[in-house]
Amino acid sequence: MTPPRKTPTMTDVARLAGVSPMTVSRAFKADSSISGATRNAILKAADQLGYVFDSTASNLRSQKTDFVAVTIPSINTANFADTVRALSDGLKPRGLQMLLGTTDYDMAEEERLIEQLLRRRPEAIVVTGGNHTPRARRLLENAGIPVIETWDLPETPIDHVVGFSNALAVRGMVDHFVTKGLTRIAFIGGDTSRDTRGADRRSGFVAAMAAHGLDPSRLVAAGPPPVSMRAGADAMARLLQDHPDTEAVICVSDLSAFGALTECQRRGVPVPDHISIAGFGDDEIAGISVPSLTTINPHPRDIGSQVVALIGDLLDGKRTDAARIVISPDLILRQSSL
Amino acid sequence: MTPPRKTPTMTDVARLAGVSPMTVSRAFKADSSISGATRNAILKAADQLGYVFDSTASNLRSQKTDFVAVTIPSINTANFADTVRALSDGLKPRGLQMLLGTTDYDMAEEERLIEQLLRRRPEAIVVTGGNHTPRARRLLENAGIPVIETWDLPETPIDHVVGFSNALAVRGMVDHFVTKGLTRIAFIGGDTSRDTRGADRRSGFVAAMAAHGLDPSRLVAAGPPPVSMRAGADAMARLLQDHPDTEAVICVSDLSAFGALTECQRRGVPVPDHISIAGFGDDEIAGISVPSLTTINPHPRDIGSQVVALIGDLLDGKRTDAARIVISPDLILRQSSL
DNA sequence: CTGAAAGCGCTAACAC
DNA sequence: GTGTTAGCGCTTTCAG
């Protein structure tokens, strides 16, 4: 019977290859000065032993983990998933590994998560949103690594920002509707206490309506974020009942907008003839549903790739100032609005 | 001007609190024997110094990382995201941190990813699918940690399995259509060379059709996975052109099924009166679209929570045999099919 | 291009 | 309940 075979270490590989452990170390590092012949011999010996490089030891000694920590509210939300994908894809070729955690739209949970992630000693940390508990903010400020806040444009950023104004984006949509002559406009959104980006979109709506001298009180709460299609449909049902004369509705997300659209379809309410519908996100569904959905594209993939580029520059020392990269959301006009 | 303040270590905290580093270590471990008073004093000192526990050192010394590695083909796919969410949510209370990587439906990329993840010394690794390069398989076999293959039912599993038969699930759908009297049935799917689960669904379709003595040749290729709504719509356009007498179509995913549905709507082809449509996944859209979509629910969240329970039992030593947990996909009949 | 010595920050193992 | 010693598996640093 075989003994409980211990995992082989560099020393084992060194012995088999007839070199010092230091040379084995060099063989596993891309740009180190080592002859091709010895490297090949070492890699062969390593393969023979089933050796797997131990990052934990390497990380401790070199004080480098090649981790980039990322927090998002939810993973099953197309927009955030798109940003994460762009992040992950961009970090990979740079040899960086994403360390992802979700906050479930909860700032206390975000604080716990940030602390846990910082313990892993990432090279940088990317957080979604510009609102944090005081302790979370302090942890980030003292982390000694680049901090990038995204999907938002905080007034007093911790460090770097790659984002956009959610309020301003919705204001553009309101302006568009008003220009088209619509005045009785409603907003469907989630619990503003949890989703700060959703809250910003709602306050953008209220401010824009007020600026046009219009009634901003047609606000329908659609439950906890992320607002589902079903929640959007239910909210639309309530809106049609409470304010049957509503001419247009802006939804906090494309999912809720699509849900709202289906509710109209089930009730035989023609869109956009009877009511215009707009979403947020430019998810794939917005472009393909019948009718297609007017929406706002906040360029989630761009956010991810801009963050990657920024992290690259920061880690390479090519840049040291606090970046403030502003993404411009685009208004996408489609069939669901006049 | 302040010196380039070094990150404080346990030794610094110990000095300030007037205890030994070992006692500080105990203060940061949940279940260790230490008096409440000293713990509080230590945590206060740590807070004062801005000390952040260093997992990298802890991991090396204790030979425990509390990482669970997870590979999925794509993060922007609702089904996988649901499994990942259940995984992440379940691991969190156990003090385990998910280490997520995406393969982009590429086995060579999966091999690279698996090697990179194993270097981080996770406690367990969860992979999507039962198909791997020979080297990837060898790496997993020799990893010395629990390996869980998911979303599939491989004939020769590496270790543990939590999944279902994609082929069998689609066979159930074909059987249902045949029972309803439909015979001219098509299949819309992605590149079978890359997406092995998609390939299994397709081969399940072909086998089921053949078993009923029906023509299994109405196969429409919809491009690289994950098959988008748009790709589903384009595939439907081709199907309607090439085989206008098709009575039913089974799509590899709900996204492609919804895309196909919208194409019918744009062309004025009534669903299900002229053609029945079925998807796969039971994404939220399937239940809410008008008409709603007949589909298969493979219970992605169950897969995730079963995996978590299994990992828990394995790490606690409550279980040592190779598990084979079979999930039963459910046929969900809705308006899009007769 | 290769090697020897030392040590990254924590904790297992053992004392008391 | 607390302290001491040693060492996890690498890589920095310095020689050669």
Side-chain angles (χ1 to χ4, degrees):
Chain A
M1 77 193 243
T2 50
R5 190 170 44 108
K6 254 194 61 196
T7 311
T9 70
M10 273 193 181
T11 312
D12 301 317
V13 177
R15 197 175 305 120
L16 182 61
V19 295
S20 75
M22 191 56 234
T23 306
V24 177
S25 174
R26 291 192 177 103
F28 276 91
K29 205 175 153 189
D31 57 340
S32 50
S33 49
I34 183 173
S35 83
T38 32
R39 164 169 279 149
N40 287 337
I42 288 168
L43 293 181
K44 200 179 132 215
D47 192 61
Q48 200 176 316
L49 290 174
Y51 170 75
V52 176
F53 182 91
D54 188 335
S55 295
T56 69
S58 169
N59 292 344
L60 174 58
R61 177 63 246 225
S62 64
Q63 297 291 81
K64 268 186 78 238
T65 60
D66 292 336
F67 274 136
V68 171
V70 178
T71 78
I72 54 171
S74 150
I75 203 169
N76 349 41
T77 303
N79 281 326
F80 297 132
D82 283 346
T83 295
V84 165
R85 197 222 159 113
L87 269 173
S88 169
D89 286 354
L91 293 174
K92 201 174 294 187
R94 300 193 60 98
L96 297 167
Q97 159 86 47
M98 186 183 60
L99 201 51
L100 182 68
T102 53
T103 67
D104 201 23
Y105 295 91
D106 180 340
M107 296 212 329
E109 182 59 29
E110 188 202 39
E111 177 185 319
R112 277 191 291 278
L113 179 61
I114 286 172
E115 178 164 31
Q116 201 200 327
L117 292 173
L118 289 178
R119 288 178 168 208
R120 302 279 186 183
R121 295 289 188 269
E123 312 296 335
I125 181 164
V126 182
V127 298
T128 302
N131 250 298
H132 319 282
T133 66
R135 200 173 96 84
R137 195 181 167 97
R138 193 156 42 79
L139 284 169
L140 291 171
E141 284 167 347
N142 298 332
I145 55 172
V147 175
I148 300 107
E149 293 171 286
T150 63
W151 275 88
D152 204 347
L153 231 41
E155 288 182 25
T156 54
I158 296 172
D159 193 2
H160 309 278
V161 178
V162 178
F164 61 92
S165 164
N166 284 274
L168 229 57
V170 170
R171 171 186 287 266
M173 185 68 81
V174 173
D175 290 351
H176 168 74
F177 279 161
V178 172
T179 303
K180 290 284 176 180
L182 304 172
T183 55
R184 296 190 293 277
I185 309 173
F187 183 84
I188 289 177
D191 289 351
T192 50
S193 60
R194 302 187 64 199
D195 180 9
T196 58
R197 279 156 305 288
D200 286 350
R201 288 172 205 165
R202 196 180 90 150
S203 67
F205 167 80
V206 171
M209 291 294 281
H212 286 290
L214 298 173
D215 171 21
S217 69
R218 295 178 192 225
L219 301 169
V220 187
V227 180
S228 64
M229 294 179 179
R230 177 63 60 194
D234 293 347
M236 181 56 112
R238 262 173 287 136
L239 178 64
L240 290 174
Q241 183 163 353
D242 298 349
H243 304 280
D245 63 342
T246 300
E247 296 172 313
V249 55
I250 298 173
C251 302
V252 73
S253 67
D254 277 355
L255 295 192
S256 48
F258 179 74
L261 169 64
T262 63
E263 187 61 25
C264 291
Q265 292 173 332
R266 277 185 291 273
R267 291 165 177 252
V269 175
V271 175
D273 298 326
H274 186 89
I275 187 169
S276 286
I277 298 178
F280 194 107
D282 200 16
D283 297 4
E284 194 190 10
I285 197 171
I288 204 168
S289 67
V290 180
S292 55
L293 289 167
T294 286
T295 189
I296 292 164
N297 186 344
H299 305 297
R301 283 174 297 279
D302 284 0
I303 293 177
S305 48
Q306 292 274 13
V307 168
V308 167
L310 175 61
I311 289 176
D313 285 352
L314 291 166
L315 296 184
D316 292 346
K318 286 186 195 158
R319 169 164 201 164
T320 50
D321 61 313
R324 182 185 176 86
I325 299 170
V326 180
I327 304 286
S328 295
D330 286 322
L331 210 61
I332 313 285
L333 303 179
R334 296 213 182 89
Q335 299 163 346
S336 68
S337 72
L338 291 174
Chain B
M1 77 191 243
T2 50
R5 190 171 43 108
K6 253 193 58 195
T7 311
T9 71
M10 274 193 180
T11 310
D12 300 317
V13 178
R15 197 176 304 121
L16 182 60
V19 296
S20 75
M22 191 60 232
T23 305
V24 177
S25 173
R26 292 193 177 102
F28 276 91
K29 203 174 154 188
D31 58 339
S32 48
S33 50
I34 183 175
S35 83
T38 34
R39 165 170 277 150
N40 286 338
I42 288 168
L43 294 181
K44 199 179 135 217
D47 191 63
Q48 200 176 316
L49 291 174
Y51 170 74
V52 176
F53 182 91
D54 188 335
S55 296
T56 68
S58 171
N59 293 344
L60 174 59
R61 176 63 243 226
S62 64
Q63 298 290 77
K64 269 187 78 236
T65 60
D66 292 337
F67 275 136
V68 171
V70 178
T71 77
I72 53 172
S74 150
I75 203 169
N76 347 42
T77 303
N79 281 326
F80 297 133
D82 283 346
T83 294
V84 166
R85 198 223 160 112
L87 268 172
S88 169
D89 286 354
L91 293 173
K92 201 174 293 188
R94 299 192 60 99
L96 296 168
Q97 158 87 46
M98 187 185 58
L99 201 50
L100 183 69
T102 54
T103 67
D104 202 21
Y105 295 92
D106 180 339
M107 295 210 331
E109 182 60 29
E110 188 202 38
E111 178 186 317
R112 276 191 291 278
L113 180 61
I114 286 172
E115 177 162 32
Q116 202 200 326
L117 292 172
L118 290 178
R119 289 177 168 208
R120 302 280 186 184
R121 295 289 189 265
E123 313 295 336
I125 180 163
V126 182
V127 297
T128 302
N131 250 298
H132 319 282
T133 67
R135 200 173 98 84
R137 194 180 168 98
R138 193 156 44 81
L139 284 169
L140 292 171
E141 283 166 347
N142 298 332
I145 55 172
V147 175
I148 300 108
E149 293 171 286
T150 63
W151 276 88
D152 204 346
L153 231 41
E155 287 181 26
T156 54
I158 296 173
D159 194 1
H160 309 280
V161 179
V162 178
F164 62 91
S165 164
N166 285 275
L168 228 59
V170 169
R171 170 186 288 265
M173 185 67 83
V174 172
D175 291 349
H176 169 73
F177 279 161
V178 172
T179 303
K180 289 284 177 181
L182 304 172
T183 55
R184 296 189 293 278
I185 310 173
F187 184 85
I188 288 177
D191 289 352
T192 51
S193 60
R194 301 186 65 198
D195 180 7
T196 57
R197 280 156 305 289
D200 287 349
R201 288 173 205 165
R202 197 180 90 150
S203 66
F205 167 79
V206 171
M209 290 295 281
H212 286 291
L214 297 173
D215 171 21
S217 70
R218 295 178 193 226
L219 302 169
V220 188
V227 181
S228 66
M229 294 179 179
R230 177 62 61 194
D234 292 347
M236 181 56 114
R238 262 173 287 136
L239 178 64
L240 290 174
Q241 183 163 352
D242 297 348
H243 304 280
D245 62 343
T246 300
E247 295 171 313
V249 56
I250 298 172
C251 302
V252 73
S253 67
D254 277 356
L255 294 193
S256 48
F258 179 73
L261 169 63
T262 63
E263 188 60 24
C264 292
Q265 292 174 332
R266 277 185 292 274
R267 290 167 178 251
V269 174
V271 175
D273 298 326
H274 186 87
I275 188 168
S276 286
I277 298 179
F280 194 108
D282 200 16
D283 295 5
E284 193 190 11
I285 196 171
I288 204 168
S289 67
V290 180
S292 55
L293 288 168
T294 287
T295 189
I296 291 164
N297 186 344
H299 304 297
R301 283 175 297 278
D302 284 0
I303 293 178
S305 47
Q306 292 275 15
V307 169
V308 167
L310 175 61
I311 289 176
D313 286 352
L314 291 167
L315 296 185
D316 292 347
K318 286 186 194 157
R319 168 164 202 163
T320 50
D321 61 312
R324 182 185 176 84
I325 299 171
V326 180
I327 304 285
S328 295
D330 286 321
L331 209 60
I332 313 284
L333 303 179
R334 295 213 183 89
Q335 299 164 346
S336 68
S337 71
L338 291 175

